[in-house]
Amino acid sequence: MDEMPIGRRVAYWRGRRKMSQQVFADRLGKSKSWVDKVERGVRRLDKFSVIYEIAEVLGVDAQLLLGKEPERRPDSVNCIDQMEVEEIRSALERYDQISAFFYAAPQPPPLAEVRKAVSHAWLTYQHAKYGVLARTLPRLLREAQSADTAYARSDGAEEAAHLLGQVYQIASSALRKLGEHELSWLAADRSIAVSQRAGDYLLAGIASYRVGSALLALGRARPALEVNINIANRLATDLGGDGANPERLSVYGMLLLNGAMAAARTGCSATVRDLIAGAEEAANQLGGDYNHYWTCFGPTNVQLHKAAAAVEMGEGRVAVQTHQEIDPAGFAALLPERRAHHFIDVARAYTQMGDVEKAAELLLEGDRLAPAEIRCRPAAHEILTDVLRRTRGTPAAPIAELAENMGVGV
């Protein structure tokens, strides 16, 4: 990327933003021919003012267009910035494993160290500390990949693969939060293959859940529904007998909930009801909310998904009613990421009802709980933009301050 001419970099980021040359030209106030010449290197970009204008339209740091390392934003303590996304991308683009067929693998980090780092990364993600996670994730990816390669023909092969599968899942979840859905899909897909080598069908099952989440984020609701239902059906065998262990119930239940979200996106309310009913049954068998395989699955999380599915179907009142019926103690026991995520869903429900004041309150409550979940997610930005647009007069000081911190115009 650093060796690309600036025109190629412009074309690269325009493609990443899913903008045609015409749309890009219109936003710049230029002609399509001008854009085409810039991208082909026929026309030079020698004015910083134009480069910064292009960077603003593309939503990237101007330093990236110049082939330099971007300056970290002041708010990157909470959010994943462009530099970190590119570092994660570079780690995912490595294919060092194939070299093990030809060369001796380098000395890997001890598996105990990798295991400790992976556990810390999961906790960091589930406490919505995305900036901290992003700074450590590229190195963790490289170390887990190195361990997987080095231990491939030893007694530690399955554990190394298991740890790498987890790291891919963490990366997939974090990238999806940021809106990097294609990368999220790639990381989740990698996790499925690695999890199979690890010999853990539940790890592969929850990797399928991550694939479904990435597909849903990409707007591929039907494939997302299919992948969740197919794997859930395989896990459903003997769930009433010895196979109904807590870990299996948790993975099975999350697949059903993710399938319900996909079904809601397609508008199939009957399928949503069936899948949530199945998840409720699994949660009741489990007997509480647990974090087996990092799912946070249980009766409370089922209610959260029931509310989220109602929002997807445009049933804001149903979502708010579900929110009000959630057990406060169960909700308070959930990890910060889950609770703040729910506040975003309920805020969206209130906007559907036309109550922007309540929507603003939920965003502020989520921001107090887990700032990165509110400030970093495109979904929260969209809701806040809607709240500000529909607020009569000057918005309240707290919501105006939040908008300023998030870079959302008042």
Side-chain angles (χ1 to χ4, degrees), residues 25-95:
D26 290 345
R27 294 184 183 180
L28 284 171
K30 304 286 187 181
S31 67
K32 181 182 176 183
S33 173
W34 184 91
V35 170
D36 182 64
K37 288 177 181 177
V38 164
E39 293 185 348
R40 289 189 293 114
V42 175
R43 187 182 187 101
R44 294 181 60 189
L45 284 177
D46 49 11
K47 290 185 178 180
F48 283 110
S49 59
V50 176
I51 292 172
Y52 281 108
E53 186 179 358
I54 289 173
E56 185 176 353
V57 170
L58 293 174
V60 301
D61 192 302
Q63 298 300 311
L64 277 176
L65 297 181
L66 294 168
K68 300 177 181 178
E69 196 171 89
E71 297 178 4
R72 295 186 184 274
R73 301 191 312 263
D75 64 346
S76 64
V77 170
N78 287 329
C79 291
I80 304 174
D81 64 26
Q82 296 154 0
M83 176 180 171
E84 289 149 354
V85 169
E86 291 311 304
E87 289 174 352
I88 294 170
R89 181 189 301 278
S90 295
L92 287 171
E93 288 172 347
R94 286 164 51 110
Y95 287 88

Side-chain angles (χ1 to χ4, degrees), residues 115-184:
R115 192 185 314 121
K116 182 178 179 181
V118 171
S119 295
H120 183 264
W122 274 119
L123 288 173
T124 304
Y125 171 76
Q126 292 191 319
H127 282 81
K129 298 187 181 298
Y130 304 136
V132 175
L133 177 61
R135 286 159 179 66
T136 60
L137 197 48
R139 179 180 176 182
L140 182 55
L141 276 163
R142 290 191 293 269
E143 289 185 347
Q145 289 165 339
S146 176
D148 181 54
T149 301
Y151 291 103
R153 299 174 183 175
S154 71
D155 292 339
E158 287 193 350
E159 183 180 3
H162 202 286
L163 291 169
L164 179 57
Q166 292 181 53
V167 176
Y168 280 142
Q169 291 194 39
I170 296 167
S172 175
S173 298
L175 289 163
R176 180 170 47 83
K177 292 283 187 183
L178 179 65
E180 295 286 341
H181 304 318
E182 293 283 357
L183 274 184
S184 175

Side-chain angles (χ1 to χ4, degrees), residues 211-232:
V211 168
S213 296
L215 286 170
L216 192 56
L218 285 164
R220 305 283 294 163
R222 291 197 180 279
L225 176 60
E226 289 174 7
V227 72
N228 281 286
I229 296 305
N230 287 342
I231 304 302

